[in-house]
Amino acid sequence: MRFSDLLPGSAKHQVGQVISAEWDSGQNGIRFVLQFSPSARRLEGFCPSGHNPTTGKYIAEEDLKKKVNDFLGLPVYEHALGGDPNTMSPEDFKNLKIELTLTDMHLSVRPTTRPVDSNTFISRIFR
């Protein structure tokens, strides 16, 4: 457990949902569109099949195709260290990163520049 988990307001905050998802046979992946509410801003995303360099895991094309219907209506959560996409400036909104976990179908967004979290702040104090 992290220190930030004990702070109030650390619960998941839904900021939108996936409104469309379809298989792109040319790119071998799922193209999807996120819509944030109440701002109605939209963001397009792509989830490719194959090897994920970030996690080191591999997902086969057939397995990913089966998950297309699971994408529709998927809630989008605000990252614990990020801001609300509904109130971000247009520049920050353009640079949002989509974080998708296929094992539990969890989808969140966060800005590319992360603010200092409480764990980092406390560890820097004791250095």
Side-chain angles (χ1 to χ4, degrees):
M1 177 178 279
R2 297 179 3 201
F3 177 76
S4 63
D5 294 336
L6 301 174
L7 298 175
S10 64
K12 294 179 183 178
H13 176 66
Q14 184 174 346
V15 293
Q17 69 178 10
V18 177
I19 59 169
S20 72
E22 60 185 28
W23 181 256
D24 184 341
S25 58
Q27 297 291 320
N28 296 330
I30 299 174
R31 292 206 176 276
F32 56 94
V33 177
L34 310 176
Q35 182 168 341
F36 299 99
S37 56
S39 69
R41 286 177 158 177
R42 291 185 178 188
L43 185 65
E44 293 181 7
F46 181 71
C47 179
S49 61
H51 180 73
N52 183 337
T54 306
T55 62
K57 295 189 179 188
Y58 180 85
I59 183 157
E61 186 177 324
E62 300 81 28
D63 295 335
L64 190 58
K65 273 185 183 179
K66 293 176 186 174
K67 294 189 181 276
V68 172
N69 291 333
D70 296 338
F71 270 73
L72 291 173
L74 190 65
V76 179
Y77 296 102
E78 176 183 1
H79 193 273
L81 301 177
D84 185 357
N86 293 297
T87 59
M88 286 181 173
S89 69
E91 295 81 28
D92 290 338
F93 186 77
K94 286 181 190 176
N95 295 324
L96 276 179
K97 288 201 175 237
I98 301 170
E99 294 181 344
L100 172 66
T101 308
L102 290 172
T103 53
D104 63 354
M105 294 303 288
H106 180 81
L107 188 60
S108 65
V109 292
R110 69 172 176 85
T112 54
T113 57
R114 291 180 19 172
V116 176
D117 66 344
S118 56
N119 289 332
T120 305
F121 178 74
I122 291 173
S123 68
R124 287 181 183 172
I125 290 174
F126 292 114
R127 286 186 188 167

